[in-house]
Amino acid sequence: MTISRRHRMLMLCSLTAAGMLGATSVSAAERSPEGPELHSFPPAFGFSMLNPDVDAPGTNDWSCRPTSQHPRPVVLVHGTWENRYNNFAELAPALKRDGYCVFGLDYGDSDDNGAGLHPAVKGTGDIRRSAAELADFVDEVLAATDSSQVDIVGHSQGGVVPRQYLKAEGGADLDDPANNKVRNLVTLGATHHGTTLSGLATLADHLRLLGVGQLVLGEAATQQAQGSEFMTELNADGDTVPGVDYHVIATRYDEVTTPYESTFLTAGPGATVRNITLQDGCAIDASDHLSMTYSGRAIDYVEQSLDPTAPEPRCEPNPPVF
């Protein structure tokens, strides 16, 4: 993959600016520090490299209580080699401003994290183990907010981990869906049916260009390859479980989840699926895999998925990272 000198300079400027923002991180007595609200992936990624343990702004306020308008807390699940901050530095505060209780976790450390991976690089370990981590986190959120269900919003692998949680880690009650712990699952660019190895290699190349250094694919990445044992098992009994509404957001310019249509789901008994392509009705949104969580249109679709009374999604430009 080649990249222009001008593009490299623009990314360096973004990362330098992110580093200058490091001193603005704030902390609360019982919470991790919050990073600043940022509006594109490269500076958020750069900030997280310097501040690997920050929360996305507006998240993990354990005193938050859901309202009648937004009765379920929202759990954000990041993608492969991302983390709870750099994936959601714009989406999380948007949800918080609109009255949601928003929570986000880092998950998926692997043995490789002790062998040279940057501490901000998450989502590399076995997806089955990550789903168990999500199960524990959801239980903490439900207990803290006195809620019976959550809504989950996930990017890339962050859509697959919740599906594994629903199918195998107690997220859904197949005998009585009224007892499900998840009401809505909203995914962006999720690798629901696997991706080509070239797509996974593209993501690794992208992150190296942004300064991670040497990356190993990791078990989670290989589990997301088309035809893998994990993907075959995850989808063996259909894409959905009863009692959950699935909202699947795709971009035609996704160079990681390839082909992009592989993210779409098919509804099984007792479930609903809405498959959305960002460019339908809005050709000027050029979001790629890494920039789609920073698309105003995608954020609006997330809000509409959580609350059908939300306004129709806006149409505005959003550039790709690459």
Side-chain angles (χ1 to χ4, degrees):
M1 175 179 175
T2 60
I3 186 167
S4 70
R5 182 172 180 271
R6 179 176 179 271
H7 203 155
R8 283 196 298 268
M9 291 300 294
L10 286 172
M11 286 194 297
L12 280 172
C13 289
S14 295
L15 294 176
T16 300
M20 293 173 66
L21 285 167
T24 68
S25 177
V26 296
S27 62
E30 298 179 357
R31 297 165 59 189
S32 296
E34 283 190 5
E37 180 173 354
L38 294 174
H39 302 289
S40 66
F41 181 77
F45 187 87
F47 185 90
S48 70
M49 292 298 102
L50 298 172
N51 304 272
D53 296 319
V54 295
D55 286 333
T59 63
N60 296 338
D61 176 1
W62 296 94
S63 66
C64 187
R65 296 294 178 269
T67 64
S68 58
Q69 183 179 2
H70 301 308
R72 292 176 297 276
V74 178
V75 175
L76 305 178
V77 187
H78 64 77
T80 309
W81 302 320
E82 296 174 299
N83 59 52
R84 68 182 188 264
Y85 173 75
N86 62 38
N87 218 160
F88 302 115
E90 182 170 11
L91 174 58
L95 293 174
K96 182 68 172 180
R97 279 192 294 270
D98 284 339
Y100 292 92
C101 293
V102 188
F103 299 86
L105 77 159
D106 282 341
Y107 70 87
D109 282 342
S110 66
D111 292 340
D112 296 318
N113 285 77
L117 283 185
H118 192 284
V121 175
K122 303 295 184 181
T124 60
D126 184 350
I127 293 174
R128 296 178 181 90
R129 189 171 70 236
S130 295
E133 293 179 46
L134 176 61
D136 290 342
F137 188 78
V138 168
D139 284 348
E140 291 176 15
V141 170
L142 292 175
T145 59
D146 194 24
S147 302
S148 59
Q149 289 186 314
V150 301
D151 292 330
I152 294 179
V153 178
H155 174 245
S156 194
Q157 184 192 160
V160 175
V161 170
R163 288 186 58 217
Q164 176 68 12
Y165 163 56
L166 286 167
K167 287 199 167 186
E169 294 294 339
D173 185 335
L174 300 182
D175 295 323
D176 186 358
N179 294 327
N180 287 356
K181 295 180 181 180
V182 179
R183 185 69 187 89
N184 290 286
L185 174 58
V186 187
T187 68
L188 300 101
T191 51
H192 287 309
H193 296 104
T195 181
T196 61
L197 287 173
S198 60
L200 295 168
T202 296
L203 179 55
D205 286 343
H206 284 358
L207 296 183
R208 273 194 288 267
L209 285 168
L210 287 177
V212 165
Q214 183 175 358
L215 273 175
V216 296
L217 282 178
E219 187 169 6
T222 57
Q223 285 175 321
Q224 291 170 84
Q226 286 179 354
S228 72
E229 178 184 357
F230 173 81
M231 279 294 162
T232 301
E233 180 181 295
L234 178 67
N235 294 311
D237 298 319
D239 294 345
T240 63
V241 298
V244 177
D245 293 332
Y246 296 79
H247 313 262
V248 183
I249 303 170
T251 174
R252 287 197 175 95
Y253 304 114
D254 198 321
E255 75 282 45
V256 175
T257 300
T258 55
Y260 80 88
E261 297 95 337
S262 67
T263 195
F264 293 147
L265 297 175
T266 300
T272 68
V273 170
R274 183 187 183 194
N275 292 316
I276 300 160
T277 301
L278 287 178
Q279 289 76 28
D280 286 352
C282 186
I284 60 174
D285 189 322
S287 301
D288 66 358
H289 189 78
L290 291 175
S291 72
M292 68 185 305
T293 58
Y294 291 86
S295 159
R297 186 170 179 82
I299 291 171
D300 289 350
Y301 270 123
V302 169
E303 298 223 27
Q304 189 182 71
S305 300
L306 300 175
D307 179 3
T309 68
E312 282 298 303
R314 75 195 97 164
C315 179
E316 62 185 24
N318 187 57
V321 173
F322 294 93

